[in-house]
Amino acid sequence: MPVAHADSQANPIYGNYYGYYSKRPFIRDPRLALLPTEFFVGKRVLDVGCNEGWVTCEIGQFRGAHQVIGVDIDDTLIRAAWKRRRTVWSLQSPESGNTCEESFPPPKRQRLLSDASTSDNERAHNYFPASCEHSYGPLPIPDRGYGTFPHNVTFRTVDWVKDKISEDHNQYDIVLGFSISKWIHLNNKDEGLREFFYRVHQCLKVGGVFVLEPQPWDTYSKARRMSETLKENAKHLQLRPDDFGEILGKLGFSHGQRLGVTGKGGFRRPVDIYLKQR
Ligand SMILES: C[S@@+](CC[C@H](N)C(=O)[O-])C[C@H]1O[C@@H](n2cnc3c(N)ncnc32)[C@H](O)[C@@H]1O
């Protein structure tokens, strides 16, 4: 069941920040940009800790994923994520690639847009000014269009460390854990973080990929000051982000591969990928 609510904003102990993407704005998420263009095509993806769904929507809209599920512990954020999906749909050109009847890669006329320069792509996907939605409301989403944006994007409110969702049963090709390990670690201690990694392993197909952006250890000290519980939990933590690769290895993942480091200031973090081998 959801555990975080709107009033938790005074103290976002899960990292459940509202307006997160005004502090970390992007047109294309730089972490996703580290992954090859074809990485998500046709894949089932789980985005754990999706916040307001910006990354989830980008994968569904631009990366050709068959299905993307964003989960977050905070129901207010999940409602914002559904709204984001609607907004992104409302802004895109009627001729852009992922309209409901089309598959990825899109047919020739649309492929011109997908292959075009970023600025052409931006024009296609910001075709309607944001003021249109403000004035007239969002565009309706067509009934049909399984596997293409926006039908390929859904959101669920869940504490994913503790509770399963029905979509987990089919297993995923890719699980994303962007900027979430610290919050899971501080709230659930070492055992909870191990449980999270175990669940990721369980829910991935063999050959599937875990994409992890761990927050560095030095960022824990500010976060734990948010509450007495986090402060107390932090005292007992033995694991450090440098240990994550070893834990994942024991579960059956490959050695981590560091794709790069992105972000500025306090958001400067590595992005690593782990392949489920067994
Ligand atoms: C710092 S934000 C990162 C958002 C997004 N992943 C990104 O990097 O752009 C962390 C998110 O994880 C969510 N979260 C924390 N613990 C969670 C849990 N146990 N289950 C699901 N979501 C969780 C928070 O509510 C928050 O929205």
Side-chain angles (χ1 to χ4, degrees):
M1 288 303 290
V3 293
H5 302 285
D7 60 1
S8 67
Q9 203 38 206
N11 206 8
I13 59 166
Y14 303 100
N16 48 324
Y17 298 108
Y18 300 173
Y20 185 64
Y21 297 105
S22 61
K23 298 220 170 57
R24 203 175 185 176
F26 63 84
I27 295 173
R28 291 287 179 278
D29 187 278
R31 298 163 296 179
L32 291 184
L34 293 173
L35 297 158
T37 316
E38 302 303 301
F39 188 74
F40 293 99
V41 175
K43 298 291 199 290
R44 281 193 89 232
V45 183
L46 177 71
D47 180 10
V48 186
C50 66
N51 197 270
E52 292 173 351
W54 283 43
V55 169
T56 328
C57 285
E58 183 175 334
I59 295 168
Q61 187 185 28
F62 294 115
R63 293 301 200 99
H66 176 64
Q67 193 182 19
V68 200
I69 299 124
V71 293
D72 204 283
I73 199 167
D74 186 318
D75 192 46
T76 302
L77 288 172
I78 287 297
R79 276 185 273 124
W82 281 111
K83 190 166 181 295
R84 169 78 187 165
R85 172 181 179 265
R86 194 96 185 231
T87 295
V88 168
W89 166 255
S90 296
L91 294 184
Q92 79 173 18
S93 154
E95 294 191 344
S96 67
N98 271 341
T99 53
C100 64
E101 296 296 322
E102 294 154 357
S103 56
F104 191 94
K108 215 171 181 186
R109 178 172 60 89
Q110 285 80 17
R111 201 173 307 149
L112 282 175
L113 283 170
S114 299
D115 291 347
S117 66
T118 305
S119 59
D120 283 348
N121 249 329
E122 285 325 315
R123 271 194 289 281
H125 293 95
N126 291 296
Y127 180 84
F128 292 108
S131 57
C132 280
E133 197 197 354
H134 289 303
S135 305
Y136 305 109
L139 288 179
I141 288 177
D143 290 341
R144 294 168 56 211
Y146 179 70
T148 57
F149 186 76
H151 301 276
N152 58 354
V153 173
T154 47
F155 297 101
R156 302 268 178 268
T157 304
V158 68
D159 177 343
W160 198 78
V161 180
K162 296 186 176 147
D163 296 315
K164 294 188 171 69
I165 54 170
S166 58
E167 287 86 349
D168 293 344
H169 298 303
N170 287 339
Q171 294 195 305
Y172 304 101
D173 299 292
I174 299 164
V175 175
L176 291 187
F178 280 172
S179 290
I180 190 173
S181 51
K182 173 173 72 181
W183 300 110
I184 291 176
H185 203 180
L186 281 172
N187 280 285
N188 303 280
K189 302 192 263 187
D190 288 348
E191 308 85 81
L193 190 71
R194 285 181 189 280
E195 175 65 17
F196 170 59
F197 289 153
Y198 173 77
R199 292 218 53 219
V200 171
H201 182 264
Q202 290 283 300
C203 289
L204 271 172
K205 296 173 186 166
V206 173
V209 181
F210 180 34
V211 186
L212 180 66
E213 181 199 30
Q215 294 102 326
W217 177 249
D218 63 12
T219 67
Y220 280 51
S221 58
K222 186 172 167 207
R224 71 184 174 195
R225 290 200 291 270
M226 277 189 186
S227 84
E228 285 307 316
T229 309
L230 296 195
K231 224 183 266 178
E232 188 53 33
N233 287 352
K235 286 184 196 158
H236 304 285
L237 302 185
Q238 303 281 322
L239 296 176
R240 298 291 180 267
D242 283 348
D243 302 324
F244 296 172
E246 192 185 331
I247 299 168
L248 290 164
K250 286 186 181 148
L251 287 170
F253 285 98
S254 65
H255 284 304
Q257 184 192 345
R258 180 140 301 175
L259 295 183
V261 179
T262 67
K264 293 194 179 117
F267 289 119
R268 191 151 179 79
R269 292 164 193 172
V271 176
D272 301 325
I273 56 171
Y274 298 87
L275 188 76
K276 175 169 168 175
Q277 293 177 312
R278 56 185 153 81

